Amino acid sequence: MSKAKFESVFPRISEELVQLLRDEGLPQDAVQWFSDSLQYNCVGGKLNRGLSVVDTYQLLTGKKELDDEEYYRLALLGWLIELLQAFFLVSDDIMDESKTRRGQPCWYLKPKVGMIAINDAFMLESGIYILLKKHFRQEKYYIDLVELFHDISFKTELGQLVDLLTAPEDEVDLNRFSLDKHSFIVRYKTAYYSFYLPVVLAMYVAGITNPKDLQQAMDVLIPLGEYFQVQDDYLDNFGDPEFIGKIGTDIQDNKCSWLVNKALQKATPEQRQILEDNYGVKDKSKELVIKKLYDDMKIEQDYLDYEEEVVGDIKKKIEQVDESRGFKKEVLNAFLAKIYKRQK
């Protein structure tokens, strides 16, 4: 499904939200502010999560073409995930004191924005429930959609809490790190909203709502989301910056990355001391020490071994999927195909 077609829906969604502010009688400068926030924070990403809703629905229903209204409703659900993502990212950037997002200054660093961005983040989140009510209130699965967004938001916030407590940028303590903690963080902070949410939204619209099918989706998509994030950690250090489009910063940023956790698990006392002395420091020379240590410890091979093992497990789970109630292995295979051995 084309990204351009998906993007073409956003102006209508944005206008619906902005009109609500006009209806409430907000002054024009406030209306314009919200309109600018929507455009700045929702547009410009890869949109993989949103696109997945439409793609999954078409795979589940076998429909090659959707009529305009059917397409709009599914694309709208996709854009609601993008609104959720925007809410998370605007908040996350403030908490992390990040400087750039998608190649431009973070929203809170824009002139005159500052901490108004906190309220802007709340408004992005509220837009989800306003649009769900407007477009899906008449559907028997309406409350399921509402509860799903609330549940996934809560899980993502739990992941963020553990991440913030484990790896604050300004306080390095490698004793807080572990592969188990990394697994919890990435499952809760990334996998639920990036992988499980798009598929389940499409399942509800397609009428595939049996708890056994929702469980089948979760059993594959959460490990798949974890694998995706481990892959991201790997590419941050071992990927080609020109190909990926960014320079990795996990080492200097004290990220609770899979690589450092694997190194900590394997480290001799001497190697542990090198990690203690050099990880999480804003210093290029110390970053290079860690990179060399990863090479010496053969962390790249550990990742490649992990990849083959986890993908083997995921393929076995997909093979065991029961398709008798309408859920399809094809959906899960499509996600795996996009991720396996990706380079960016």
Side-chain angles (χ1 to χ4, degrees), residues 278-292:
N278 295 279
Y279 197 80
V281 184
K282 304 283 191 197
D283 182 328
K284 187 70 182 170
S285 64
K286 288 181 180 285
E287 179 186 51
L288 291 173
V289 171
I290 298 291
K291 283 177 169 284
K292 181 179 184 305

Side-chain angles (χ1 to χ4, degrees), residues 119-131:
N119 195 63
D120 295 333
F122 294 160
M123 290 180 70
L124 292 167
E125 185 194 25
S126 294
I128 296 165
Y129 300 101
I130 288 164
L131 290 172

Side-chain angles (χ1 to χ4, degrees), residues 1-7 46-66 70-79 81-82 194-195 197-203 205-206 208 221 326-338:
M1 200 266 300
S2 93
K3 185 178 176 184
K5 184 177 182 185
F6 184 74
E7 287 176 318
K46 294 192 282 285
L47 307 178
N48 290 336
R49 297 167 183 82
L51 287 161
S52 294
V53 180
V54 185
D55 290 343
T56 299
Y57 178 80
Q58 289 185 286
L59 288 173
L60 289 171
T61 59
K63 293 183 178 180
K64 293 283 185 279
E65 295 293 328
L66 305 177
E70 191 175 24
Y71 179 83
Y72 180 71
R73 281 160 60 82
L74 285 151
L76 170 67
L77 288 173
W79 275 108
I81 303 178
E82 298 298 328
S194 300
F195 288 82
L197 179 58
V199 170
V200 176
L201 289 173
M203 287 171 71
V205 181
I208 300 167
L221 292 165
F327 189 58
K328 294 183 178 176
K329 298 175 186 177
E330 193 181 352
V331 169
L332 303 171
N333 280 321
F335 270 87
L336 180 58
K338 284 181 198 168

Side-chain angles (χ1 to χ4, degrees), residues 2 18 41 63 81 102 121-122 162 164 166 207 230 259 313 320:
S2 93
V18 169
N41 294 308
K63 293 183 178 180
I81 303 178
R102 295 170 180 164
F122 294 160
V162 176
L164 289 167
T166 303
V230 173
L259 304 179
D313 288 344
Q320 292 163 1

Side-chain angles (χ1 to χ4, degrees), residues 169-187:
E169 252 187 85
D170 57 351
E171 186 189 336
V172 182
D173 181 357
L174 298 182
N175 291 317
R176 294 174 180 166
F177 287 13
S178 71
L179 282 169
D180 283 346
K181 205 174 274 189
H182 176 270
S183 177
F184 180 90
I185 291 167
V186 301
R187 283 171 177 250

